[in-house]
Amino acid sequence: MSLVVVGSLAYDAVETPHGKVDRMLGGACTYISLAASYFTPVSIVGVVGDDFAEEDERFLASRRIDLEGMERAPGKTFFWSGVYSQDMNDRTTLATDLNVFASFSPKLPAGYKSKPYLFLGNIQPELQRSVRGQMNGVRLVGGDTMNYWIRDHRAELLKTIGEWDFLLINDGEARMLSGEYNLKRAARAILEMGPKTVIIKRGEYGALLFHGSNTFSAPGYLLDSLFDPTGAGDCFAGGFMGYLAGRNIDLSDPATDAKELSRAVIYGSVMGSFCCEQFGVDRFRTLTRAEIDQRYQEFKSLTDF
Amino acid sequence: MSLVVVGSLAYDAVETPHGKVDRMLGGACTYISLAASYFTPVSIVGVVGDDFAEEDERFLASRRIDLEGMERAPGKTFFWSGVYSQDMNDRTTLATDLNVFASFSPKLPAGYKSKPYLFLGNIQPELQRSVRGQMNGVRLVGGDTMNYWIRDHRAELLKTIGEWDFLLINDGEARMLSGEYNLKRAARAILEMGPKTVIIKRGEYGALLFHGSNTFSAPGYLLDSLFDPTGAGDCFAGGFMGYLAGRNIDLSDPATDAKELSRAVIYGSVMGSFCCEQFGVDRFRTLTRAEIDQRYQEFKSLTDF
């Protein structure tokens, strides 16, 4: 069923030990919707500048992503630039030019408002909440956040995630939000803030899912070569949410198989792993659903005992 | 079937955020054999000083560990002292007094030489090799090493592990030994050095097993509270090797189920997780086989999707 994704559309400049790209399509909304598009129809909400290339728009449309909610504003598209360390576990931001994204105020096209699935990428918590408020009868809503909102906009963030079905967060952010170092305790504390499910991303070490009293641990995929990790966390989000939407999962229905959430985490991991194999979104220019399902099976054999 | 374990017997002084113990039973051989004793009969080879307490000897014997190969030498038992960081991911060594361990030259009692399973704890590679040479018709042999031997005794180490069925190593050591940062490539390089199986320990993130073209990823167990990680890696080794010996596994027999190695990794993870729940070896004073099997089932549900 149809999924609405809200977040940044951007151009990135990236340097990894494998090379350098001066300008490539990026942004959380881009990665999330590309990954999700393999599982379900996706409609995006975001803003681009007048420099946004027609070929990039065509690429998103070629993945059947609905661009009606993509606003064009005078000025430049959000631009981020960074350099990864030799082992790619750290990155240094060289530039963050918000440009048209600075005054982004997401407005949902009328046709989006009754869609059942909503993923709120990392933007100001008050904007995430305003989008949630524009939707009618959403079945499943969740999203992402970051250290800045946790530290400096805590009250607003807590009000926002209190209305979500799930929160996706990395390990450092989970510790910061909960004040607990131990991830099991951190997850428990976050579940008490409102979300019924929390997914903690641990980079190359995989991800943890906490849902009620259930815990699931997904391994990191062992890549032959990590080419460019930019967007991997967002592709995880896209695979996770795309799978749930594609399967029409309703977590409030007691008949729903709780294992579907675990499978969604594995599809998230699959999409994150593909993302790292080429620069930026390039892997999604050739990736097929058959390759995705084959890697899902690899996760099966990687964890079976 | 019977397992011989060679390594250090020691006293430790440990400080963690949970408290401080001035003198507790420790040493790799101690932890490995205690963990393995839940799965198979264990015979140890090691050296202690004249300060080795009778109650510690009684405790090992109470786990039906054969102490015939435990040599008593004049002087003091190996002593190690360390302090853990607040998050327990780092530890600082305050003292390493080798004492009687400095001149340890393992001699196997006659009755040990025909036992089928041998685990060589982290000691000088040439001593590990001499023990291997004293055994007749050993069915499965493997062991552990550390950064010091990799860096400063590389040639001797390569000769030693070239005769092993498996090598157990942590991620940092695997990278150092192979010269590869990527763990998949590191494992491949190590497999070319001789061992048919390599197990890479990743602390709280679990462990990876590489065997031929098979890869298995075991999650880290999510402890409610990490009390004292001292000995966890050795207990992993004990659970891993103990399970293989207890099941009478012969990896050279083509009929052997390769999944047994994965199950051994899970039992290793189970034993490592229990070890962290109390100071030193204390958890093994009350731990039962039923608790072990229950935690094994928890690993099943933690990874099932």
Side-chain angles (χ1 to χ4, degrees):
Chain A
M1 296 274 280
S2 212
L3 164 67
V4 175
V5 175
V6 184
S8 60
L9 298 154
Y11 284 112
D12 295 336
V14 166
E15 188 173 349
T16 82
H18 294 282
K20 200 178 162 189
V21 174
D22 287 335
R23 186 177 173 87
M24 62 188 197
L25 179 60
C29 181
T30 306
Y31 284 106
I32 298 164
S33 47
L34 282 170
S37 72
Y38 286 87
F39 303 92
T40 201
V42 177
S43 301
I44 67 171
V45 182
V47 63
V48 296
D50 38 35
D51 59 343
F52 197 72
E54 215 176 285
E55 66 170 294
D56 291 325
E57 198 170 327
R58 272 202 306 272
F59 173 48
L60 296 173
S62 78
R63 293 281 333 141
R64 292 161 299 111
I65 295 168
D66 171 3
L67 303 178
E68 194 192 342
M70 186 176 90
E71 185 192 338
R72 260 181 200 275
K76 283 189 165 180
T77 302
F78 181 14
F79 178 77
W80 176 83
S81 152
V83 182
Y84 286 87
S85 62
Q86 196 58 37
D87 63 15
M88 284 191 267
N89 281 328
D90 291 299
R91 70 181 189 189
T92 306
T93 290
L94 301 179
T96 306
D97 302 333
L98 292 175
N99 299 329
V100 298
F101 193 59
S103 49
F104 176 46
S105 173
K107 282 169 290 295
L108 267 56
Y112 282 26
K113 296 186 181 184
S114 56
K115 293 188 187 291
Y117 293 90
L118 173 63
F119 189 89
L120 297 154
N122 165 38
I123 54 174
Q124 292 96 307
E126 50 271 49
L127 293 184
Q128 291 177 319
R129 213 144 56 85
S130 90
V131 174
R132 170 78 182 80
Q134 293 172 55
M135 302 282 287
N136 302 315
V138 68
R139 183 175 307 148
L140 191 68
V141 57
D144 206 351
T145 190
M146 73 183 288
N147 50 6
Y148 175 66
W149 313 117
I150 296 171
R151 203 178 44 225
D152 294 347
H153 293 70
R154 190 178 173 86
E156 192 62 41
L157 178 67
L158 290 179
K159 231 195 293 188
T160 302
I161 66 172
E163 301 173 348
W164 292 2
D165 295 295
F166 68 85
L167 171 66
L168 233 153
I169 194 165
N170 73 34
D171 44 5
E173 292 159 357
R175 288 176 171 135
M176 188 188 249
L177 178 59
S178 64
E180 293 277 1
Y181 184 82
N182 178 299
L183 288 180
K184 203 169 170 182
R185 289 162 186 259
R188 256 187 236 135
I190 294 169
L191 290 175
E192 282 174 18
M193 296 173 189
K196 287 176 281 297
T197 304
V198 58
I199 304 98
I200 300 180
K201 297 177 288 179
R202 307 166 103 185
E204 64 170 310
Y205 299 111
L208 297 171
L209 168 83
F210 298 88
H211 175 72
S213 61
N214 294 333
T215 308
F216 174 67
S217 176
Y221 184 75
L222 296 165
L223 287 161
D224 279 299
S225 170
L226 171 62
F227 207 80
D228 172 18
T230 309
D234 294 317
C235 290
F236 180 97
F240 175 79
M241 186 64 168
Y243 177 77
L244 294 176
R247 298 277 294 175
N248 209 2
I249 299 297
D250 183 351
L251 291 175
S252 66
D253 179 351
T256 298
D257 177 4
K259 287 280 169 215
E260 288 286 24
L261 279 169
S262 305
R263 288 172 207 129
V265 169
I266 295 294
Y267 276 108
S269 306
V270 164
M271 299 313 285
S273 73
F274 279 121
C275 178
C276 296
E277 292 183 351
Q278 290 184 32
F279 267 111
V281 301
D282 280 354
R283 188 64 180 85
F284 301 108
R285 300 188 194 277
T286 58
L287 184 69
T288 64
R289 179 65 201 242
E291 287 176 300
I292 292 169
D293 291 332
Q294 192 187 331
R295 186 156 296 181
Y296 182 88
Q297 290 306 322
E298 276 188 71
F299 271 89
K300 274 269 184 213
S301 79
L302 188 62
T303 55
D304 182 49
F305 65 89
Chain B
M1 296 274 280
S2 212
L3 163 66
V4 175
V5 175
V6 185
S8 60
L9 298 155
Y11 284 111
D12 295 338
V14 166
E15 187 172 350
T16 83
H18 295 282
K20 200 177 161 190
V21 175
D22 287 334
R23 185 179 174 86
M24 62 189 197
L25 180 60
C29 181
T30 305
Y31 284 106
I32 297 164
S33 48
L34 283 170
S37 73
Y38 286 86
F39 302 93
T40 202
V42 178
S43 301
I44 66 170
V45 182
V47 64
V48 295
D50 39 37
D51 60 343
F52 197 72
E54 216 175 285
E55 64 170 294
D56 291 325
E57 197 170 328
R58 271 201 307 269
F59 173 49
L60 295 174
S62 77
R63 293 283 329 141
R64 292 165 298 112
I65 295 168
D66 171 3
L67 303 178
E68 192 193 342
M70 186 175 92
E71 186 191 339
R72 263 184 197 274
K76 283 188 166 182
T77 302
F78 180 15
F79 178 77
W80 175 83
S81 154
V83 181
Y84 285 87
S85 62
Q86 196 58 38
D87 64 13
M88 285 191 266
N89 281 328
D90 290 300
R91 72 180 188 190
T92 307
T93 291
L94 302 179
T96 306
D97 303 331
L98 292 176
N99 298 329
V100 299
F101 193 61
S103 49
F104 178 46
S105 173
K107 281 169 291 297
L108 268 56
Y112 281 26
K113 298 187 177 182
S114 56
K115 293 187 186 291
Y117 293 89
L118 173 64
F119 189 89
L120 297 155
N122 164 37
I123 53 174
Q124 293 96 307
E126 49 269 51
L127 292 185
Q128 291 176 320
R129 212 145 55 84
S130 91
V131 174
R132 169 80 180 81
Q134 292 172 55
M135 301 281 286
N136 302 313
V138 68
R139 184 176 304 148
L140 190 66
V141 58
D144 207 350
T145 191
M146 72 183 287
N147 50 7
Y148 175 69
W149 313 116
I150 296 170
R151 201 177 47 224
D152 295 346
H153 293 72
R154 191 179 173 84
E156 190 64 38
L157 178 67
L158 291 179
K159 231 194 293 185
T160 301
I161 66 172
E163 301 173 348
W164 291 2
D165 294 295
F166 69 86
L167 172 65
L168 232 154
I169 193 166
N170 73 33
D171 44 7
E173 293 159 356
R175 287 173 170 137
M176 187 187 250
L177 178 59
S178 64
E180 292 279 0
Y181 184 81
N182 179 299
L183 288 182
K184 203 169 169 180
R185 289 162 187 258
R188 256 188 234 132
I190 294 169
L191 291 175
E192 282 174 17
M193 295 172 189
K196 285 175 281 299
T197 303
V198 59
I199 303 100
I200 300 181
K201 295 177 289 178
R202 305 165 104 185
E204 64 170 311
Y205 299 112
L208 298 170
L209 168 83
F210 298 88
H211 176 71
S213 61
N214 295 333
T215 307
F216 174 67
S217 177
Y221 184 75
L222 296 166
L223 286 161
D224 279 297
S225 169
L226 171 62
F227 207 79
D228 172 18
T230 310
D234 294 317
C235 290
F236 180 99
F240 175 78
M241 187 63 168
Y243 177 77
L244 294 176
R247 299 278 293 175
N248 210 1
I249 299 296
D250 183 352
L251 291 173
S252 65
D253 178 351
T256 297
D257 178 4
K259 287 281 170 216
E260 288 285 26
L261 278 169
S262 304
R263 288 172 207 132
V265 168
I266 295 295
Y267 276 109
S269 306
V270 164
M271 300 312 285
S273 73
F274 279 121
C275 179
C276 296
E277 291 183 351
Q278 291 185 29
F279 268 111
V281 301
D282 280 355
R283 189 62 179 88
F284 300 109
R285 299 187 194 278
T286 58
L287 184 69
T288 63
R289 180 62 201 245
E291 289 177 298
I292 292 168
D293 291 330
Q294 192 187 332
R295 186 155 295 180
Y296 181 87
Q297 290 306 323
E298 276 190 70
F299 271 89
K300 275 269 182 211
S301 79
L302 188 63
T303 55
D304 183 49
F305 65 88

